[in-house]
């Protein structure tokens, strides 16, 4: 066997999104790109804020000596301080640059966090529907994922169910708000109740239980909804995030890990994380991007076009008989599949040139995901195909 058996099995069994991507290529070749409606990828279709280009030009023109050299594995101090300043405002806690480490995206931050905390065989609770990579990241570091469903009618936290899943082997819980794939935002009361439950279990088990808040969509929330910060509610918590979505820079691999200043052994945790960033081979987050995002902490992409697309799809699809939670953030909808088998429904959609990801790919069969970070014109062109699909699937 040329590669590790485990990796071979992962390649064969894993990615619905990749399968759909390939299907998209096939359909585009047959029907033409204009007539294929691809809702599979969470790749922002907006451009970074104008200030990003201005700062990029300014750096290129001044080109200070040494800007491409190695640095402290945690990142540039001024960038860490800029991140900390905003986080201190949002959390009301005294977050400083020493609790921030710049990373290669939220994905890099998650891998660093998990490597830092996991002993072999320890359990990490993830909530379904979940971001599919969590399972692989947990496995990367010898952990065992334990899946707990969210409330199927609201996709909100089911705190009693999370509590029942906590065992002496539990090390961490990953939450994601605004959520991929459901788009829901967890309200402050929910985070407060979660924090109280975690505190009780920590006392009972006499060990820290880490809550990792994966929040690359934190600035993508609609109708004035403010995404609450987790730090005030859970002491042993971390934020892993990036500028992939809020500054539309996913290809640039820039994000950060932030540790709650109230965490027990916070300095030791940071030391561990910095070591892991180095030895996982990331070494440090991209230097040029750190220089830019240090100046862009208060910037964000324009979210109005995303909100408009959510509204168009939610309006027409519910009118056609699809049922779904109306999400407050991110750029995904997660409707119920009109057929009991979501994979069969996604195949039916392909016949109408609509590409979707089945809920099974997120640990939530019976649903499907729409990523609406696509052109509005494409959404409008797709509506007749959605109508035909709704009819074929037996909706009104
Ligand atoms: N977490 C969630 C929930 C995501 O949706 C994504 C990307 O789509 C990531 C993490 C990884 O993001 P990044 O590009 O910052 O590594």
């Amino acid at each position: 066997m040329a590669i590790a058996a485990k990796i071979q099995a992962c390649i064969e069994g894993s990615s619905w999104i990749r399968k759909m991507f390939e299907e998209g290529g096939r359909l585009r070749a047959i029907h033409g790109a204009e007539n294929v409606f691809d809702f599979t990828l969470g790749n922002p279709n907006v451009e970074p804020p104008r200030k990003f280009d201005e700062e990029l030009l300014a750096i290129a023109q001044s080109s200070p000596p040494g800007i491409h050299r190695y640095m402290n594995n945690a990142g540039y101090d001024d960038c860490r301080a800029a991140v900390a300043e905003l986080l201190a405002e949002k959390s009301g806690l005294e977050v400083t640059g020493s609790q921030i480490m710049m990373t290669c995206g939220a994905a890099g931050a998650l891998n660093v966090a998990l490597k830092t905390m996991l002993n072999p065989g320890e359990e990490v609770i993830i909530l379904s529907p979940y971001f599919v990579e969590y399972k692989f990241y947990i496995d990367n570091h010898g952990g065992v994922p334990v899946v707990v469903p969210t409330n199927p009618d609201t996709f909100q936290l089911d705190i009693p169910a999370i509590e029942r899943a906590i065992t002496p082997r539990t090390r961490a819980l990953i939450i994601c708000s605004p959520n991929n794939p459901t788009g829901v935002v967890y309200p402050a009361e929910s985070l407060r109740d979660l924090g109280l439950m975690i505190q009780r279990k920590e006392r009972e088990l006499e060990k820290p239980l880490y809550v990792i808040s994966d929040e690359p969509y934190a600035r993508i929330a609609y109708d004035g909804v403010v995404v609450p910060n987790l730090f005030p509610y859970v002491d042993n918590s971390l934020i892993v995030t990036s500028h992939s979505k809020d500054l539309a820079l996913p290809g640039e691999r820039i994000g950060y890990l932030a540790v709650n200043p109230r965490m027990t052994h916070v300095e030791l945790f940071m030391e561990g994380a910095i070591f892991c960033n180095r030895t996982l081979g990331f070494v440090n987050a991209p230097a040029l991007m750190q220089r830019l995002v240090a100046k862009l902490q208060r910037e964000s992409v324009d979210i109005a076009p995303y909100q408009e697309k959510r509204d168009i799809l939610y309006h027409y699809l519910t009118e056609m008989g699809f049922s779904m939670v109306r999400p407050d953030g991110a750029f995904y909808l997660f409707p119920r599949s009109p057929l009991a088998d979501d994979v069969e429904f996604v195949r039916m959609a392909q016949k109408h040139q609509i590409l979707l990801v089945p809920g099974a790919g997120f640990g939530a069969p019976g649903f499907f995901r729409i990523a609406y970070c696509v052109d509005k014109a494409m959404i409008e062109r797709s509506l007749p195909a959605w109508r035909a699909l709704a009819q074929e699937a037996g909706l009104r």
Side-chain angles (χ1 to χ4, degrees):
M1 198 180 269
I3 61 170
K6 185 159 100 178
I7 302 302
Q8 179 132 15
C10 289
I11 295 172
E12 281 158 15
S14 76
S15 183
W16 268 104
I17 296 182
R18 211 192 59 174
K19 277 185 208 157
M20 286 297 149
F21 186 72
E22 285 161 10
E23 181 62 12
R26 197 183 69 81
L27 289 176
R28 273 185 275 271
I30 300 172
H31 303 282
E34 287 282 290
N35 301 311
V36 177
F37 313 116
D38 189 345
F39 293 99
T40 57
L41 282 184
N43 200 3
N45 74 324
V46 297
E47 295 305 317
R50 184 188 291 267
K51 191 156 185 259
F52 176 83
D53 293 329
E54 289 167 6
E55 296 291 349
L56 183 59
L57 263 177
I59 292 179
Q61 276 161 355
S62 63
S63 195
I67 60 164
H68 305 298
R69 293 181 191 154
Y70 287 125
M71 71 196 75
N72 180 335
N73 301 112
Y76 290 124
D77 287 343
D78 65 329
C79 183
R80 298 165 74 197
V83 168
E85 186 186 294
L86 191 65
L87 216 46
E89 265 174 43
K90 293 209 155 144
S91 65
L93 304 188
E94 284 182 31
V95 185
T96 66
S98 62
Q99 287 119 30
I100 308 294
M101 184 178 73
M102 301 311 294
T103 62
C104 295
L110 267 163
N111 274 281
V112 165
L114 292 166
K115 187 175 174 67
T116 306
M117 66 177 65
L118 284 179
N119 293 298
E122 284 184 328
E123 294 171 352
V124 180
I125 297 175
I126 58 176
L127 307 176
S128 64
Y130 48 75
F131 176 55
V132 73
E133 306 295 60
Y134 291 157
K135 283 193 162 173
F136 300 116
Y137 297 165
I138 293 165
D139 179 71
N140 280 347
H141 308 292
V144 179
V146 172
V147 179
V148 174
T150 50
N151 180 323
D153 297 320
T154 60
F155 300 125
Q156 290 291 334
L157 296 177
D158 182 346
I159 295 171
I162 299 172
E163 181 164 6
R164 286 194 297 277
I166 295 176
T167 74
R169 290 180 305 282
T170 307
R171 188 59 155 164
L173 158 71
I174 303 178
I175 62 171
C176 173
S177 170
N179 188 271
N180 176 8
T182 67
V184 305
V185 173
Y186 303 145
E189 309 83 72
S190 209
L191 299 182
R192 187 199 56 213
D193 293 349
L194 177 72
L196 293 172
M197 182 276 280
I198 293 285
Q199 234 173 43
R200 195 168 62 244
K201 295 304 279 186
E202 284 183 323
R203 277 199 298 271
E204 195 183 304
L205 296 169
E206 295 179 348
K207 64 172 204 173
L209 294 169
Y210 295 109
V211 180
I212 303 173
S213 176
D214 177 25
E215 48 183 72
Y217 305 93
R219 290 188 214 165
I220 303 183
Y222 310 126
D223 305 319
V225 167
V226 175
V227 178
N229 186 280
L230 178 69
F231 277 179
Y233 305 107
V234 184
D235 287 355
N236 286 317
S237 60
L238 303 88
I239 291 172
V240 293
T241 187
S242 74
H243 298 296
S244 293
K245 318 287 172 168
D246 59 24
L247 296 178
L249 298 172
E252 302 297 349
R253 313 309 304 135
I254 184 70
Y256 60 85
L257 176 149
V259 172
N260 192 321
R262 292 180 183 160
M263 178 186 280
T264 39
H265 309 300
V266 59
E267 280 160 24
L268 181 61
F269 195 97
M270 280 309 292
E271 242 183 276
I274 293 167
F275 172 83
C276 292
N277 201 35
R278 187 184 106 210
T279 55
L280 278 170
F282 296 123
V283 183
N284 56 250
L288 180 58
M289 287 302 127
Q290 288 192 51
R291 297 204 176 267
L292 290 166
V293 303
K295 300 204 166 77
L296 296 168
Q297 283 304 302
R298 288 168 200 279
E299 296 287 324
S300 188
V301 293
D302 180 9
I303 59 164
Y306 285 143
Q307 178 163 340
E308 189 186 9
K309 290 169 203 174
R310 177 204 61 173
D311 290 342
I312 294 171
L313 277 167
Y314 180 81
H315 173 80
Y316 285 103
L317 266 53
T318 48
E319 198 181 71
M320 291 172 205
F322 288 100
S323 87
M324 71 200 84
V325 172
R326 184 169 176 273
D328 288 323
F331 34 59
Y332 307 104
L333 291 163
F334 203 65
R336 246 175 221 288
S337 166
L339 307 185
D341 181 346
D342 51 308
V343 174
E344 194 186 329
F345 173 72
V346 163
R347 292 216 174 95
M348 185 186 276
Q350 276 168 27
K351 289 194 290 173
H352 297 269
Q353 281 100 260
I354 297 176
L355 298 178
L356 305 165
V357 186
F362 305 93
F367 295 87
F368 64 96
R369 190 186 79 169
I370 301 172
Y372 58 81
C373 44
V374 294
D375 288 343
K376 182 178 153 194
M378 191 273 261
I379 294 177
E380 286 168 344
R381 274 200 315 279
S382 76
L383 291 174
W386 278 106
R387 258 191 207 103
L389 172 62
Q391 261 170 15
E392 190 184 347
L395 299 174
R396 75 182 82 111

